[in-house]
Short mmCIF file of all heavy atoms in Angstrom, two decimals:
data_model
loop_
_atom_site.label_atom_id
_atom_site.label_comp_id
_atom_site.label_asym_id
_atom_site.label_seq_id
_atom_site.Cartn_x
_atom_site.Cartn_y
_atom_site.Cartn_z
N MET I 1053 15.57 8.31 57.45
CA MET I 1053 15.92 8.36 56.02
C MET I 1053 14.68 8.78 55.23
O MET I 1053 13.64 8.13 55.33
CB MET I 1053 16.44 6.99 55.57
CG MET I 1053 16.94 6.97 54.14
SD MET I 1053 17.66 5.37 53.70
CE MET I 1053 16.33 4.68 52.71
N PRO I 1054 14.76 9.85 54.47
CA PRO I 1054 13.58 10.26 53.70
C PRO I 1054 13.26 9.25 52.60
O PRO I 1054 14.16 8.72 51.95
CB PRO I 1054 13.98 11.61 53.10
CG PRO I 1054 15.46 11.62 53.12
CD PRO I 1054 15.90 10.72 54.24
N ASP I 1055 12.00 8.97 52.45
CA ASP I 1055 11.57 8.00 51.45
C ASP I 1055 11.34 8.73 50.12
O ASP I 1055 10.26 9.22 49.84
CB ASP I 1055 10.28 7.33 51.92
CG ASP I 1055 9.94 6.12 51.06
OD1 ASP I 1055 10.44 6.05 49.92
OD2 ASP I 1055 9.19 5.26 51.53
N ASP I 1056 12.40 8.78 49.33
CA ASP I 1056 12.37 9.58 48.12
C ASP I 1056 11.34 9.07 47.10
O ASP I 1056 10.60 9.85 46.52
CB ASP I 1056 13.77 9.61 47.50
CG ASP I 1056 13.83 10.52 46.30
OD1 ASP I 1056 13.42 11.69 46.44
OD2 ASP I 1056 14.26 10.06 45.23
N LEU I 1057 11.31 7.77 46.91
CA LEU I 1057 10.37 7.21 45.93
C LEU I 1057 8.93 7.52 46.32
O LEU I 1057 8.11 7.91 45.48
CB LEU I 1057 10.59 5.70 45.80
CG LEU I 1057 9.63 4.98 44.84
CD1 LEU I 1057 9.73 5.54 43.43
CD2 LEU I 1057 9.91 3.49 44.83
N TYR I 1058 8.63 7.37 47.60
CA TYR I 1058 7.28 7.66 48.08
C TYR I 1058 6.93 9.12 47.87
O TYR I 1058 5.83 9.46 47.44
CB TYR I 1058 7.15 7.27 49.55
CG TYR I 1058 5.77 7.53 50.09
CD1 TYR I 1058 4.70 6.72 49.72
CD2 TYR I 1058 5.53 8.59 50.96
CE1 TYR I 1058 3.43 6.97 50.20
CE2 TYR I 1058 4.27 8.83 51.45
CZ TYR I 1058 3.22 8.02 51.07
OH TYR I 1058 1.96 8.27 51.55
N GLN I 1059 7.91 10.01 48.18
CA GLN I 1059 7.67 11.45 47.98
C GLN I 1059 7.37 11.77 46.52
O GLN I 1059 6.46 12.55 46.22
CB GLN I 1059 8.90 12.26 48.44
CG GLN I 1059 9.20 12.16 49.93
CD GLN I 1059 8.03 12.62 50.79
OE1 GLN I 1059 7.28 13.51 50.40
NE2 GLN I 1059 7.86 12.01 51.95
N ARG I 1060 8.15 11.16 45.63
CA ARG I 1060 7.93 11.43 44.20
C ARG I 1060 6.60 10.85 43.73
O ARG I 1060 5.90 11.44 42.90
CB ARG I 1060 9.09 10.86 43.38
CG ARG I 1060 10.34 11.74 43.46
CD ARG I 1060 11.45 11.21 42.61
NE ARG I 1060 11.90 9.91 43.11
CZ ARG I 1060 12.31 8.91 42.32
NH1 ARG I 1060 12.33 9.05 41.03
NH2 ARG I 1060 12.70 7.77 42.85
N TYR I 1061 6.27 9.69 44.25
CA TYR I 1061 4.99 9.05 43.93
C TYR I 1061 3.83 9.95 44.37
O TYR I 1061 2.89 10.20 43.61
CB TYR I 1061 4.96 7.67 44.60
CG TYR I 1061 3.62 7.00 44.70
CD1 TYR I 1061 2.76 6.96 43.61
CD2 TYR I 1061 3.22 6.38 45.89
CE1 TYR I 1061 1.53 6.32 43.71
CE2 TYR I 1061 2.01 5.75 45.99
CZ TYR I 1061 1.16 5.72 44.91
OH TYR I 1061 -0.05 5.09 45.02
N MET I 1062 3.91 10.47 45.59
CA MET I 1062 2.86 11.35 46.11
C MET I 1062 2.78 12.66 45.32
O MET I 1062 1.70 13.16 45.05
CB MET I 1062 3.10 11.64 47.59
CG MET I 1062 2.67 10.53 48.52
SD MET I 1062 0.88 10.31 48.50
CE MET I 1062 0.72 8.74 47.63
N ALA I 1063 3.96 13.21 44.97
CA ALA I 1063 3.98 14.46 44.20
C ALA I 1063 3.33 14.24 42.84
O ALA I 1063 2.55 15.07 42.36
CB ALA I 1063 5.41 14.95 44.04
N ALA I 1064 3.64 13.10 42.21
CA ALA I 1064 3.06 12.79 40.91
C ALA I 1064 1.56 12.56 41.04
O ALA I 1064 0.78 12.96 40.17
CB ALA I 1064 3.74 11.56 40.31
N HIS I 1065 1.16 11.95 42.14
CA HIS I 1065 -0.26 11.73 42.39
C HIS I 1065 -0.99 13.08 42.51
O HIS I 1065 -2.04 13.28 41.91
CB HIS I 1065 -0.45 10.90 43.65
CG HIS I 1065 -1.87 10.77 44.08
ND1 HIS I 1065 -2.78 9.99 43.41
CD2 HIS I 1065 -2.56 11.36 45.09
CE1 HIS I 1065 -3.97 10.10 43.99
NE2 HIS I 1065 -3.86 10.92 45.01
N ARG I 1066 -0.39 13.99 43.26
CA ARG I 1066 -1.01 15.32 43.43
C ARG I 1066 -1.06 16.06 42.10
O ARG I 1066 -2.05 16.71 41.78
CB ARG I 1066 -0.23 16.13 44.47
CG ARG I 1066 -0.58 15.77 45.90
CD ARG I 1066 -0.06 16.81 46.87
NE ARG I 1066 1.39 16.96 46.80
CZ ARG I 1066 2.26 16.23 47.50
NH1 ARG I 1066 1.81 15.31 48.32
NH2 ARG I 1066 3.54 16.42 47.40
N ALA I 1067 0.03 15.97 41.33
CA ALA I 1067 0.07 16.66 40.04
C ALA I 1067 -1.01 16.11 39.11
O ALA I 1067 -1.70 16.87 38.42
CB ALA I 1067 1.45 16.50 39.40
N ASN I 1068 -1.16 14.79 39.12
CA ASN I 1068 -2.18 14.16 38.28
C ASN I 1068 -3.58 14.59 38.71
O ASN I 1068 -4.43 14.92 37.87
CB ASN I 1068 -2.02 12.63 38.37
CG ASN I 1068 -2.97 11.90 37.46
OD1 ASN I 1068 -3.02 12.17 36.27
ND2 ASN I 1068 -3.74 10.98 38.01
N GLN I 1069 -3.80 14.62 40.02
CA GLN I 1069 -5.08 15.02 40.57
C GLN I 1069 -5.37 16.49 40.23
O GLN I 1069 -6.46 16.83 39.78
CB GLN I 1069 -5.05 14.83 42.09
CG GLN I 1069 -6.42 14.80 42.73
CD GLN I 1069 -7.24 13.62 42.24
OE1 GLN I 1069 -6.80 12.49 42.35
NE2 GLN I 1069 -8.41 13.89 41.68
N ALA I 1070 -4.36 17.34 40.43
CA ALA I 1070 -4.53 18.77 40.17
C ALA I 1070 -4.84 18.99 38.70
O ALA I 1070 -5.68 19.82 38.35
CB ALA I 1070 -3.26 19.52 40.56
N HIS I 1071 -4.15 18.23 37.83
CA HIS I 1071 -4.40 18.41 36.40
C HIS I 1071 -5.83 18.01 36.05
O HIS I 1071 -6.54 18.75 35.38
CB HIS I 1071 -3.41 17.61 35.55
CG HIS I 1071 -3.66 17.81 34.09
ND1 HIS I 1071 -3.02 18.77 33.35
CD2 HIS I 1071 -4.53 17.20 33.25
CE1 HIS I 1071 -3.50 18.73 32.11
NE2 HIS I 1071 -4.40 17.79 32.02
N SER I 1072 -6.28 16.86 36.53
CA SER I 1072 -7.62 16.43 36.13
C SER I 1072 -8.70 17.32 36.75
O SER I 1072 -9.77 17.46 36.16
CB SER I 1072 -7.86 14.94 36.43
OG SER I 1072 -7.28 14.57 37.64
N ASP I 1073 -8.39 17.94 37.91
CA ASP I 1073 -9.35 18.89 38.47
C ASP I 1073 -9.42 20.16 37.63
O ASP I 1073 -10.49 20.74 37.45
CB ASP I 1073 -8.94 19.27 39.90
CG ASP I 1073 -9.23 18.14 40.88
OD1 ASP I 1073 -9.88 17.16 40.47
OD2 ASP I 1073 -8.79 18.25 42.03
N ALA I 1074 -8.26 20.61 37.12
CA ALA I 1074 -8.19 21.90 36.45
C ALA I 1074 -8.49 21.80 34.96
O ALA I 1074 -8.99 22.74 34.36
CB ALA I 1074 -6.81 22.51 36.66
N CYS I 1075 -8.18 20.66 34.35
CA CYS I 1075 -8.27 20.54 32.89
C CYS I 1075 -9.70 20.27 32.46
O CYS I 1075 -10.39 19.44 33.05
CB CYS I 1075 -7.36 19.41 32.43
SG CYS I 1075 -7.26 19.30 30.64
N THR I 1076 -10.13 20.99 31.42
CA THR I 1076 -11.48 20.78 30.92
C THR I 1076 -11.50 19.81 29.76
O THR I 1076 -12.56 19.41 29.28
CB THR I 1076 -12.10 22.12 30.47
OG1 THR I 1076 -11.19 22.76 29.57
CG2 THR I 1076 -12.36 23.04 31.65
N THR I 1077 -10.30 19.43 29.27
CA THR I 1077 -10.21 18.52 28.12
C THR I 1077 -10.19 17.07 28.57
O THR I 1077 -10.78 16.20 27.92
CB THR I 1077 -8.92 18.81 27.31
OG1 THR I 1077 -8.84 20.21 27.08
CG2 THR I 1077 -8.93 18.08 25.98
N CYS I 1078 -9.52 16.81 29.68
CA CYS I 1078 -9.36 15.43 30.15
C CYS I 1078 -10.68 14.89 30.70
O CYS I 1078 -11.40 15.57 31.41
CB CYS I 1078 -8.30 15.37 31.24
SG CYS I 1078 -6.64 15.62 30.65
N THR I 1079 -10.95 13.64 30.35
CA THR I 1079 -12.04 12.89 30.98
C THR I 1079 -11.45 11.58 31.48
O THR I 1079 -10.26 11.33 31.30
CB THR I 1079 -13.16 12.59 29.97
OG1 THR I 1079 -12.66 11.68 29.00
CG2 THR I 1079 -13.65 13.84 29.29
N ALA I 1080 -12.28 10.74 32.08
CA ALA I 1080 -11.79 9.45 32.57
C ALA I 1080 -11.28 8.60 31.41
O ALA I 1080 -10.37 7.79 31.57
CB ALA I 1080 -12.89 8.72 33.31
N ALA I 1081 -11.85 8.79 30.24
CA ALA I 1081 -11.52 7.93 29.09
C ALA I 1081 -10.41 8.51 28.22
O ALA I 1081 -9.61 7.78 27.66
CB ALA I 1081 -12.76 7.69 28.25
N THR I 1082 -10.35 9.83 28.08
CA THR I 1082 -9.34 10.44 27.21
C THR I 1082 -8.59 11.53 27.95
O THR I 1082 -9.15 12.22 28.80
CB THR I 1082 -9.98 11.06 25.96
OG1 THR I 1082 -10.98 11.99 26.37
CG2 THR I 1082 -10.59 10.01 25.05
N ARG I 1083 -7.30 11.69 27.61
CA ARG I 1083 -6.48 12.71 28.25
C ARG I 1083 -5.84 13.60 27.18
O ARG I 1083 -5.48 13.13 26.12
CB ARG I 1083 -5.39 12.07 29.09
CG ARG I 1083 -5.92 11.34 30.29
CD ARG I 1083 -4.82 10.80 31.16
NE ARG I 1083 -5.37 10.03 32.25
CZ ARG I 1083 -5.64 8.74 32.17
NH1 ARG I 1083 -5.37 8.06 31.08
NH2 ARG I 1083 -6.18 8.11 33.20
N CYS I 1084 -5.68 14.88 27.54
CA CYS I 1084 -4.95 15.78 26.67
C CYS I 1084 -3.46 15.43 26.75
O CYS I 1084 -3.06 14.69 27.66
CB CYS I 1084 -5.20 17.23 27.09
SG CYS I 1084 -4.43 17.70 28.64
N PRO I 1085 -2.62 15.92 25.82
CA PRO I 1085 -1.19 15.55 25.84
C PRO I 1085 -0.53 15.85 27.18
O PRO I 1085 0.25 15.04 27.69
CB PRO I 1085 -0.59 16.42 24.73
CG PRO I 1085 -1.72 16.65 23.79
CD PRO I 1085 -2.96 16.74 24.66
N ASP I 1086 -0.83 16.99 27.77
CA ASP I 1086 -0.28 17.33 29.08
C ASP I 1086 -0.74 16.34 30.14
O ASP I 1086 0.05 15.84 30.94
CB ASP I 1086 -0.75 18.74 29.50
CG ASP I 1086 0.36 19.75 29.36
OD1 ASP I 1086 1.39 19.41 28.74
OD2 ASP I 1086 0.19 20.87 29.86
N GLY I 1087 -2.02 16.07 30.14
CA GLY I 1087 -2.58 15.14 31.12
C GLY I 1087 -1.99 13.76 30.96
O GLY I 1087 -1.76 13.05 31.95
N GLN I 1088 -1.74 13.36 29.73
CA GLN I 1088 -1.16 12.05 29.45
C GLN I 1088 0.25 11.95 30.05
O GLN I 1088 0.60 10.96 30.66
CB GLN I 1088 -1.14 11.81 27.94
CG GLN I 1088 -0.65 10.42 27.52
CD GLN I 1088 -1.56 9.30 28.02
OE1 GLN I 1088 -2.75 9.51 28.22
NE2 GLN I 1088 -1.01 8.13 28.23
N ARG I 1089 1.02 13.02 29.87
CA ARG I 1089 2.39 13.05 30.42
C ARG I 1089 2.36 12.92 31.94
O ARG I 1089 3.09 12.13 32.53
CB ARG I 1089 3.10 14.36 30.04
CG ARG I 1089 4.02 14.24 28.84
CD ARG I 1089 4.99 15.39 28.78
NE ARG I 1089 4.33 16.70 28.77
CZ ARG I 1089 3.78 17.26 27.71
NH1 ARG I 1089 3.82 16.65 26.55
NH2 ARG I 1089 3.20 18.44 27.78
N VAL I 1090 1.50 13.74 32.55
CA VAL I 1090 1.40 13.73 34.01
C VAL I 1090 0.94 12.36 34.49
O VAL I 1090 1.45 11.82 35.47
CB VAL I 1090 0.43 14.84 34.48
CG1 VAL I 1090 0.16 14.74 35.98
CG2 VAL I 1090 0.98 16.21 34.14
N TYR I 1091 -0.01 11.78 33.76
CA TYR I 1091 -0.54 10.48 34.17
C TYR I 1091 0.50 9.38 34.03
O TYR I 1091 0.62 8.52 34.90
CB TYR I 1091 -1.78 10.13 33.35
CG TYR I 1091 -2.30 8.76 33.71
CD1 TYR I 1091 -3.04 8.57 34.88
CD2 TYR I 1091 -2.03 7.66 32.91
CE1 TYR I 1091 -3.48 7.32 35.24
CE2 TYR I 1091 -2.47 6.40 33.27
CZ TYR I 1091 -3.19 6.24 34.43
OH TYR I 1091 -3.62 4.99 34.79
N GLU I 1092 1.26 9.42 32.94
CA GLU I 1092 2.26 8.37 32.72
C GLU I 1092 3.35 8.42 33.80
O GLU I 1092 3.82 7.38 34.26
CB GLU I 1092 2.89 8.50 31.33
CG GLU I 1092 2.01 7.85 30.26
CD GLU I 1092 2.50 8.13 28.86
OE1 GLU I 1092 3.62 8.65 28.70
OE2 GLU I 1092 1.74 7.83 27.92
N ARG I 1093 3.72 9.63 34.20
CA ARG I 1093 4.70 9.76 35.28
C ARG I 1093 4.13 9.17 36.57
O ARG I 1093 4.81 8.43 37.28
CB ARG I 1093 5.04 11.24 35.46
CG ARG I 1093 6.04 11.50 36.56
CD ARG I 1093 6.46 12.96 36.62
NE ARG I 1093 6.97 13.29 37.94
CZ ARG I 1093 8.16 12.92 38.39
NH1 ARG I 1093 8.96 12.24 37.61
NH2 ARG I 1093 8.54 13.22 39.61
N PHE I 1094 2.90 9.51 36.86
CA PHE I 1094 2.25 8.98 38.05
C PHE I 1094 2.17 7.45 37.99
O PHE I 1094 2.50 6.77 38.97
CB PHE I 1094 0.85 9.59 38.17
CG PHE I 1094 -0.05 8.86 39.12
CD1 PHE I 1094 0.27 8.77 40.46
CD2 PHE I 1094 -1.21 8.26 38.66
CE1 PHE I 1094 -0.57 8.08 41.35
CE2 PHE I 1094 -2.05 7.58 39.53
CZ PHE I 1094 -1.72 7.49 40.87
N ALA I 1095 1.77 6.91 36.84
CA ALA I 1095 1.62 5.46 36.71
C ALA I 1095 2.96 4.74 36.88
O ALA I 1095 3.04 3.69 37.51
CB ALA I 1095 1.00 5.12 35.35
N ARG I 1096 4.02 5.34 36.31
CA ARG I 1096 5.36 4.73 36.43
C ARG I 1096 5.80 4.68 37.88
O ARG I 1096 6.29 3.67 38.37
CB ARG I 1096 6.38 5.55 35.62
CG ARG I 1096 6.80 4.90 34.31
CD ARG I 1096 8.12 5.46 33.79
NE ARG I 1096 8.27 6.89 33.94
CZ ARG I 1096 7.77 7.81 33.13
NH1 ARG I 1096 7.06 7.44 32.08
NH2 ARG I 1096 7.97 9.09 33.35
N LEU I 1097 5.63 5.82 38.58
CA LEU I 1097 6.05 5.88 39.98
C LEU I 1097 5.19 4.97 40.85
O LEU I 1097 5.68 4.34 41.79
CB LEU I 1097 5.99 7.33 40.47
CG LEU I 1097 7.13 8.20 39.97
CD1 LEU I 1097 6.83 9.67 40.18
CD2 LEU I 1097 8.42 7.83 40.68
N GLN I 1098 3.92 4.89 40.52
CA GLN I 1098 3.04 4.01 41.29
C GLN I 1098 3.48 2.55 41.12
O GLN I 1098 3.56 1.81 42.10
CB GLN I 1098 1.59 4.17 40.84
CG GLN I 1098 0.65 3.27 41.60
CD GLN I 1098 -0.80 3.59 41.30
OE1 GLN I 1098 -1.54 4.07 42.14
NE2 GLN I 1098 -1.20 3.31 40.07
N ASP I 1099 3.78 2.16 39.89
CA ASP I 1099 4.28 0.80 39.64
C ASP I 1099 5.54 0.54 40.44
O ASP I 1099 5.67 -0.50 41.10
CB ASP I 1099 4.59 0.62 38.15
CG ASP I 1099 3.35 0.29 37.35
OD1 ASP I 1099 2.27 0.15 37.97
OD2 ASP I 1099 3.45 0.17 36.13
N ALA I 1100 6.48 1.48 40.38
CA ALA I 1100 7.76 1.31 41.07
C ALA I 1100 7.53 1.22 42.58
O ALA I 1100 8.14 0.39 43.26
CB ALA I 1100 8.69 2.47 40.74
N TYR I 1101 6.65 2.07 43.08
CA TYR I 1101 6.40 2.09 44.52
C TYR I 1101 5.73 0.79 44.98
O TYR I 1101 6.15 0.18 45.96
CB TYR I 1101 5.53 3.29 44.87
CG TYR I 1101 5.24 3.37 46.35
CD1 TYR I 1101 6.24 3.73 47.24
CD2 TYR I 1101 3.98 3.06 46.85
CE1 TYR I 1101 5.98 3.78 48.60
CE2 TYR I 1101 3.71 3.11 48.20
CZ TYR I 1101 4.72 3.48 49.07
OH TYR I 1101 4.47 3.52 50.42
N LEU I 1102 4.71 0.36 44.26
CA LEU I 1102 3.99 -0.86 44.65
C LEU I 1102 4.88 -2.09 44.51
O LEU I 1102 4.81 -3.01 45.32
CB LEU I 1102 2.72 -1.02 43.80
CG LEU I 1102 1.66 0.05 44.03
CD1 LEU I 1102 0.46 -0.19 43.13
CD2 LEU I 1102 1.23 0.10 45.49
N LYS I 1103 5.73 -2.08 43.49
CA LYS I 1103 6.66 -3.20 43.31
C LYS I 1103 7.62 -3.26 44.49
O LYS I 1103 7.89 -4.34 45.01
CB LYS I 1103 7.44 -3.02 42.00
CG LYS I 1103 8.45 -4.12 41.75
CD LYS I 1103 9.18 -3.90 40.43
CE LYS I 1103 10.11 -5.07 40.13
NZ LYS I 1103 11.06 -5.33 41.22
N ARG I 1104 8.10 -2.10 44.92
CA ARG I 1104 9.01 -2.09 46.05
C ARG I 1104 8.32 -2.57 47.33
O ARG I 1104 8.89 -3.29 48.13
CB ARG I 1104 9.57 -0.68 46.27
CG ARG I 1104 10.80 -0.68 47.16
CD ARG I 1104 11.24 0.71 47.50
NE ARG I 1104 10.21 1.41 48.26
CZ ARG I 1104 10.36 2.63 48.76
NH1 ARG I 1104 11.44 3.30 48.52
NH2 ARG I 1104 9.39 3.19 49.44
N GLN I 1105 7.04 -2.18 47.50
CA GLN I 1105 6.29 -2.66 48.65
C GLN I 1105 6.23 -4.19 48.65
O GLN I 1105 6.42 -4.83 49.68
CB GLN I 1105 4.86 -2.12 48.61
CG GLN I 1105 4.73 -0.64 48.78
CD GLN I 1105 5.05 -0.18 50.18
OE1 GLN I 1105 6.17 0.18 50.48
NE2 GLN I 1105 4.08 -0.20 51.05
N ARG I 1106 5.94 -4.76 47.47
CA ARG I 1106 5.86 -6.23 47.36
C ARG I 1106 7.20 -6.86 47.66
O ARG I 1106 7.28 -7.85 48.37
CB ARG I 1106 5.40 -6.61 45.94
CG ARG I 1106 3.92 -6.48 45.73
CD ARG I 1106 3.47 -7.25 44.50
NE ARG I 1106 4.18 -6.85 43.29
CZ ARG I 1106 3.80 -5.85 42.49
NH1 ARG I 1106 2.72 -5.17 42.78
NH2 ARG I 1106 4.48 -5.55 41.42
N ASP I 1107 8.28 -6.28 47.10
CA ASP I 1107 9.63 -6.84 47.30
C ASP I 1107 10.01 -6.82 48.77
O ASP I 1107 10.63 -7.74 49.28
CB ASP I 1107 10.66 -6.06 46.48
CG ASP I 1107 10.50 -6.31 44.99
OD1 ASP I 1107 9.73 -7.22 44.64
OD2 ASP I 1107 11.14 -5.61 44.20
N GLN I 1108 9.63 -5.73 49.46
CA GLN I 1108 10.00 -5.62 50.87
C GLN I 1108 9.25 -6.63 51.70
O GLN I 1108 9.77 -7.16 52.67
CB GLN I 1108 9.70 -4.20 51.36
CG GLN I 1108 10.81 -3.23 50.98
CD GLN I 1108 10.46 -1.80 51.35
OE1 GLN I 1108 9.33 -1.51 51.73
NE2 GLN I 1108 11.41 -0.91 51.22
N ARG I 1109 8.00 -6.88 51.34
CA ARG I 1109 7.20 -7.80 52.12
C ARG I 1109 7.72 -9.24 51.99
O ARG I 1109 7.54 -10.06 52.88
CB ARG I 1109 5.74 -7.73 51.67
CG ARG I 1109 4.80 -7.53 52.83
CD ARG I 1109 3.39 -7.28 52.36
NE ARG I 1109 3.16 -5.89 51.99
CZ ARG I 1109 2.49 -5.49 50.92
NH1 ARG I 1109 2.00 -6.36 50.07
NH2 ARG I 1109 2.32 -4.21 50.66
N ARG I 1110 8.34 -9.52 50.84
CA ARG I 1110 8.80 -10.89 50.59
C ARG I 1110 10.03 -11.23 51.44
O ARG I 1110 10.31 -12.39 51.66
CB ARG I 1110 9.12 -11.03 49.09
CG ARG I 1110 8.75 -12.41 48.56
CD ARG I 1110 9.01 -12.49 47.06
NE ARG I 1110 8.04 -11.71 46.29
CZ ARG I 1110 8.37 -10.90 45.26
NH1 ARG I 1110 9.61 -10.74 44.91
NH2 ARG I 1110 7.45 -10.25 44.60
N ARG I 1111 10.80 -10.20 51.83
CA ARG I 1111 12.03 -10.45 52.57
C ARG I 1111 11.77 -11.00 53.98
O ARG I 1111 10.82 -10.59 54.60
CB ARG I 1111 12.83 -9.15 52.69
CG ARG I 1111 13.90 -9.11 51.65
CD ARG I 1111 14.66 -7.78 51.69
NE ARG I 1111 14.81 -7.28 50.33
CZ ARG I 1111 14.56 -6.01 49.98
NH1 ARG I 1111 14.14 -5.15 50.84
NH2 ARG I 1111 14.71 -5.65 48.73
ZN1 LIG U 1684 -5.72 17.68 30.52
#
């Protein structure tokens, strides 16, 4: 069974990484609007993924 959440989490991670590598506006402290969008998507998926990891371990 393909792990869809993990795939999306990884894709968002790569997109976030690619953006911060390519963008000259973003720094560790401030993000451009595009970078902010990419980062928020990554953060949401990371939260969801880590939460699922915790839930699975509890079973
Ligand atoms: Zn940026």
Side-chain angles (χ1 to χ4, degrees):
M1053 185 176 104
D1055 191 339
D1056 184 53
L1057 177 59
Y1058 180 73
Q1059 295 302 328
R1060 283 182 296 144
Y1061 165 46
M1062 281 294 109
H1065 173 73
R1066 280 194 300 273
N1068 183 54
Q1069 198 64 56
H1071 180 93
S1072 38
D1073 286 351
C1075 186
T1076 52
T1077 311
C1078 289
T1079 67
T1082 55
R1083 293 184 184 89
C1084 70
D1086 255 12
Q1088 184 64 27
R1089 262 198 305 280
V1090 173
Y1091 177 77
E1092 277 172 11
R1093 180 174 157 75
F1094 164 62
R1096 255 200 320 278
L1097 284 165
Q1098 180 172 248
D1099 277 357
Y1101 180 72
L1102 294 179
K1103 179 180 185 305
R1104 196 187 63 176
Q1105 294 289 94
R1106 280 197 304 272
D1107 290 350
Q1108 279 175 350
R1109 231 173 278 137
R1110 216 177 288 135
R1111 261 176 226 133

